Amino acid sequence: MSGSNKAFQIKALKFVKRFYPIIFFVTLSILPFFWFSSSPFPAAGSDSGLVFFGYNSGFLLKSYMYVWADLSEALGSYHAYHVLFIPWALFMHFLSFAGINGHYREVAIYALILFFSMYFFYNFILELFYNVPRNKIISLVSSIFFVFNLYIMSAFSGFPFTVFALPFLSSCFYFILKGIKTLDIKYVLYLNIAILLSSIILSLIQVSLPIIFFLGLFIIFYGILYLKEINVKAYIKYVFILLLFTALINCWWIFPYIFSLFKEYDNFRRNYDLVNYLKTVSSYINIISNFTTPYSNPIFKSLNLTSEWQYLVDYYSNSIIKIFSYLFFGIIITAFFVINTEAKKNKLILFFYFLFIIALFLILGYNKPFGFIFLGLFRHIPFFSGFASVYTDFIFLLLLSYSVLFAVGIKYIINSNAVYILKNRFILILVFAVGYYLCLYPFFIGKMVVIPNQFLGNNKNQYYTANVFVKIPKYYKSISNFFYKKKIYFNTLTLPISWGNYRNFAWKKYFHGQDLSWLLYRHSTISSYHSNRYSYCKMIYDLQKNKFHKIFLVSSLMSIKYIIIQNDAIINNTNSEIHQIYLPKKDLPIILKKEKFNFIKRFGRLDLYSLPNKYYLNFIYIPTNIIYSPKLNSNRFLNSKVLNYNPIEGVLDIAKFPDYKIRTIILFSQLNRDKNNVEINSLMKKLNIKTEAAKTHNRIIRIKYSSLNTKPPIVEFRRINPTKYIVFVYNARANFPIVLNQRYSYRWNLYPEKYRVIHPNSRLYLNYQCKLEKYSNCMNLRQIKYNVKKGNIYYIGDKFISKDINGTIQNDNIPSGHILQTLIQSPYPGKYHFVANGYANAWWININKIKKLSPEYYHINKNGTYDFKFIIDFWPQRLFYIGIIISGTTVILFGLYLIYDAIKKRKTR
């Protein structure tokens, strides 16, 4: 052997010896490439598939950017959870832009989660046992155990984003431990990078809050244990910097998320019997079996399982596998017999004994022997009732302590001086290795990961198999391109309506999972009936119940322009009422044709229908008629039974009233009673209103009906984003209502803006091209000149301008302004803000009220009419903008400080 070859082998050996943990982690991390070697694009799963692997990633990112009215809910979804998905969606969009398809994105994410979870946990244990012999072997074994264990198998099978807790937990604990030991500021930055990359997990407040809480306890625990060995002043200063900069860097999600959290929690607490739910969930918990013999539960054995699930049940029922799984559980129990020994060497290990006991208590929930204590905490500690699903909420804390104690048990066995162990150490290690592999065999070969979902077919005894990874039909791309080219704003409605938030499709290998129609179409879509979730869903339900009679009128109230019949959808028989009344797909085309919808085109198995413009109302419009119901609670039922009547149920009934017309606003006093809108009754009294009795569905509704006596104003508007609209109103002769077809919230505000007269330059007409064939709603050149002459258009440019559709013109040439445009402005008084049509926003515009502001806020035309400009926005969106500014500024300043500090240290050397 030549000297050069020998030198190379020595270097290679040193390299392997130095980096063997990383080499080993990389080797294990390529498992997903084996798991999904033949999978097509991922699509199914409750928390996986389309969203998580970036199908239509650009649209996904755009949706999450506007966290208060995201596009996954066509008529508004007022929570901020999705703001934490922005880094993920941005990363997916980058991969998509780079040409990496969904399959390889999926594989890459699994691989990265595996690698970083093991890598950071390895370094964390290494730091924890820094002065212990064979600490690298102990760290290696425990890090593998942390990721590859029986509980995590189930998490990977459906890819719920709780699996991000693995790298989040291990990296956060490592960077905090390293930081408080060295007091090095750079670990603050590393910690926040870890938070950014794992931000998805923070959206699960019931999972992330306990982790954050125990990270704080870990810092306090360390300070108390090593009080005599540390510089207390420097330690407190470091912790203060850590907390301050972590809070400032994360303002981009903290501001909107905390704001919405209280509202969501209050709604959750009011609508659910949480104590009963806690008791039910707790009854299913068996800690030992979940960590030792999963799928041995009698519930699994009683189901009519598919072959893949049955394989797992049979495998983990094997006696040999049970013995090995209990063996590893015994190693954790062993750790409790060496507490004193370990605590003398490393005091910090006590924290994980403490964490194990607390996590075990929390996970047991209402179970004996300490269930009464948990129930007391559950009832009396604020926000503690949010932890109703006790097992899933606290499991990762148990897993962390479980894995650390496993390292303690392994260390005790390896370092044991027992003669038998010393003589047979190799055999014991081999038995452990073989047993561990056998316990995780389904995971290693992918049997656990590529598991199909299943759901009931029309025959209740028949199960359809819905594979987790299916091919999305190409016709969805065709129809999404069709919608993308339609520049006018609109909502779509898919039929048949699905129950809850899940869809079943007869695609190849079937689809069963989260309703992601909005993502398939790249467009805001109403496709599901959410029971008791949103008020407008009641209208959808009533439409279906009444065989879509007068759907063209109710569709206008929700800005629905297109209806899609999804012939690939599967409706399963359930006990829910909506499925008992659902209409067969073969009847839908007949109904839509009868109800004035026009057939447009067939895209594969999708039939597209359009509502004629004369029945369509855009997101913003000015009504010509008002229907007012002052005493809805006192309705007389024809069967003489007095019952409460949900106002939203009256919308469809009123739409059937003979005199009902398009551009009618329906106001219910019951819905506006608690909105500080004390003006509504007095406003209605001033109008010329006649009382009618509308008899529908065996009930009598007392309503007041009025037509505005004057010609209504024209509206020109631009939707800047789902949370901001710029509106021009022209030729207003008298006070009028204006409607925004988004779900009502008192946080939608209308702001009068200064009105500057601009005369459109006719030369710009030459730059405007209207492709009539593609954009049938586009205003042509002749119509533009006419509307300019009439004073109905404010800006001219080469962007889209719609026709005048029922008094509304959409003009995308209107400047967007800046993101904090209304920050210091006073909104139009809230007492003029009403609930319209059972769910939407409406403002009563009082001309004299605006005139009192200043002459700058209106323009008087020659005919005595008035022009105005308004901005309508959902003001909590600004919390996200302000947070982004604070976070960005903090990161820049922090980065400059680190550069300055590095230069200073170099000069000192």
Side-chain angles (χ1 to χ4, degrees), residues 198-475:
S198 304
S199 61
I200 287 178
I201 189 61
L202 295 169
S203 63
L204 294 173
I205 190 67
Q206 69 272 25
V207 174
S208 59
L209 191 61
I211 294 174
I212 294 169
F213 177 72
F214 277 95
L215 281 169
L217 283 183
F218 183 68
I219 294 171
I220 296 170
F221 205 89
Y222 183 91
I224 294 173
L225 286 178
Y226 296 97
L227 186 64
K228 296 179 180 179
E229 302 171 27
I230 61 174
N231 184 328
V232 177
K233 187 176 180 180
Y235 186 80
I236 293 174
K237 180 182 176 182
Y238 180 83
V239 171
F240 175 77
I241 292 171
L242 172 70
L243 297 177
L244 176 64
F245 278 91
T246 299
L248 291 174
I249 290 173
N250 290 281
C251 281
W252 64 276
W253 65 267
I254 289 176
F255 284 174
Y257 189 59
I258 297 298
F259 184 86
S260 69
L261 180 63
F262 292 94
K263 181 177 179 295
E264 289 289 321
Y265 171 76
D266 187 57
N267 181 58
F268 178 66
R269 186 180 57 183
R270 284 199 317 267
N271 290 290
Y272 295 92
D273 184 354
L274 296 181
V275 172
N276 187 55
Y277 182 73
L278 170 68
K279 293 178 180 178
T280 303
V281 172
S282 298
S283 66
Y284 297 140
I285 294 170
N286 187 327
I287 300 298
I288 295 177
S289 66
N290 275 281
F291 275 93
T292 55
T293 54
Y295 313 108
S296 62
N297 193 305
I299 295 176
F300 277 99
K301 295 182 179 179
S302 66
L303 294 175
N304 181 17
L305 298 170
T306 56
S307 58
E308 289 84 356
W309 281 105
Q310 191 62 50
Y311 168 82
L312 293 173
V313 172
D314 294 341
Y315 187 86
Y316 285 103
S317 298
N318 186 289
S319 299
I320 296 175
I321 303 302
K322 285 183 178 181
I323 291 171
F324 276 122
S325 59
Y326 278 105
L327 175 64
F328 290 103
F329 186 78
I331 293 175
I332 284 89
I333 302 303
T334 301
F336 280 89
F337 294 98
V338 291
I339 294 178
N340 291 332
T341 305
E342 291 303 319
K344 290 177 182 178
K345 298 175 182 178
N346 187 354
K347 299 176 186 177
L348 202 56
I349 202 70
L350 290 172
F351 177 81
F352 297 96
Y353 285 103
F354 164 77
L355 180 60
F356 182 85
I357 294 168
I358 295 299
L360 194 61
F361 162 74
L362 293 173
I363 287 173
L364 286 172
Y366 189 67
N367 289 318
K368 296 178 181 179
F370 304 110
F372 69 96
I373 300 176
F374 188 95
L375 190 61
L377 298 173
F378 193 79
R379 282 174 168 165
H380 299 107
I381 295 182
F383 294 101
F384 198 82
S385 56
F387 301 107
S389 301
V390 286
Y391 184 74
T392 55
D393 294 345
F394 301 106
I395 188 64
F396 282 97
L397 291 175
L398 184 65
L399 180 62
L400 175 73
S401 55
Y402 198 86
S403 301
V404 172
L405 295 180
F406 184 79
V408 173
I410 290 292
K411 171 184 173 294
Y412 174 75
I413 292 171
I414 290 175
N415 295 335
S416 174
N417 293 321
V419 176
Y420 179 81
I421 293 177
L422 288 172
K423 288 183 177 180
N424 300 281
R425 184 175 291 174
F426 176 77
I427 296 174
L428 285 174
I429 291 172
L430 184 62
V431 169
F432 281 143
V434 171
Y436 184 71
Y437 178 76
L438 289 176
C439 286
L440 276 296
Y441 176 74
F443 194 28
F444 290 124
I445 67 172
K447 276 281 188 180
M448 180 60 209
V449 178
V450 192
I451 289 182
N453 292 307
Q454 55 188 353
F455 57 91
L456 282 170
N458 293 330
N459 180 350
K460 290 187 178 182
N461 296 318
Q462 178 185 0
Y463 280 83
Y464 284 118
T465 299
N467 198 283
V468 179
F469 308 101
V470 298
K471 187 82 171 179
I472 302 167
K474 292 181 180 179
Y475 50 78

Side-chain angles (χ1 to χ4, degrees), residues 21-39:
I22 295 178
I23 295 170
F24 199 65
F25 296 152
V26 169
T27 304
L28 288 175
S29 298
I30 63 175
L31 274 174
F33 291 88
F34 168 70
W35 291 343
F36 311 122
S37 57
S38 59
S39 296

Side-chain angles (χ1 to χ4, degrees), residues 693-760:
K695 174 184 173 183
T696 53
H697 286 85
N698 294 328
R699 60 172 76 98
I700 296 175
I701 305 172
R702 290 182 61 239
I703 62 173
K704 293 188 176 182
Y705 182 84
S706 174
S707 295
L708 296 175
N709 295 324
T710 58
K711 184 179 179 182
I714 295 292
V715 174
E716 181 189 25
F717 83 103
R718 179 184 175 189
R719 185 172 76 162
I720 307 305
N721 60 57
T723 64
K724 181 180 179 182
Y725 298 78
I726 296 181
V727 182
F728 289 88
V729 176
Y730 304 116
N731 301 309
R733 300 175 184 274
N735 299 341
F736 59 91
I738 187 168
V739 179
L740 170 67
N741 275 349
Q742 288 283 351
R743 187 161 65 95
Y744 179 87
S745 171
Y746 68 89
R747 297 184 180 97
W748 277 105
N749 286 323
L750 181 143
Y751 297 87
E753 283 279 301
K754 292 181 180 180
Y755 191 98
R756 183 167 59 93
V757 178
I758 291 180
H759 300 286

Side-chain angles (χ1 to χ4, degrees), residues 597-747:
F597 274 79
N598 300 323
F599 176 74
I600 301 298
K601 189 177 180 180
R602 171 165 286 182
F603 295 87
R605 300 184 68 186
L606 308 175
D607 293 336
L608 182 66
Y609 291 80
S610 175
L611 182 69
N613 278 348
K614 66 179 180 178
Y615 298 117
Y616 175 69
L617 293 175
N618 212 314
F619 286 92
I620 292 179
Y621 68 95
I622 293 178
T624 56
N625 305 287
I626 298 175
I627 290 179
Y628 174 53
S629 178
K631 295 181 180 180
L632 199 58
N633 260 349
S634 61
N635 289 303
R636 293 184 299 106
F637 282 70
L638 296 185
N639 57 8
S640 300
K641 292 181 180 179
V642 179
L643 300 171
N644 286 329
Y645 184 49
N646 186 344
I648 197 67
E649 295 178 26
V651 173
L652 191 63
D653 295 330
I654 291 171
K656 296 175 185 175
F657 188 59
D659 291 337
Y660 183 87
K661 297 180 177 65
I662 293 295
R663 294 182 71 179
T664 295
I665 183 175
I666 304 171
L667 300 175
F668 299 109
S669 63
Q670 182 177 346
L671 291 177
N672 289 289
R673 188 173 298 157
D674 300 324
K675 309 293 184 186
N676 296 321
N677 309 15
V678 295
E679 295 290 316
I680 187 169
N681 287 305
S682 61
L683 287 172
M684 295 302 106
K685 288 177 183 178
K686 294 176 183 178
L687 296 174
N688 181 21
I689 289 181
K690 61 180 180 180
T691 302
E692 300 280 355
K695 174 184 173 183
T696 53
H697 286 85
N698 294 328
R699 60 172 76 98
I700 296 175
I701 305 172
R702 290 182 61 239
I703 62 173
K704 293 188 176 182
Y705 182 84
S706 174
S707 295
L708 296 175
N709 295 324
T710 58
K711 184 179 179 182
I714 295 292
V715 174
E716 181 189 25
F717 83 103
R718 179 184 175 189
R719 185 172 76 162
I720 307 305
N721 60 57
T723 64
K724 181 180 179 182
Y725 298 78
I726 296 181
V727 182
F728 289 88
V729 176
Y730 304 116
N731 301 309
R733 300 175 184 274
N735 299 341
F736 59 91
I738 187 168
V739 179
L740 170 67
N741 275 349
Q742 288 283 351
R743 187 161 65 95
Y744 179 87
S745 171
Y746 68 89
R747 297 184 180 97

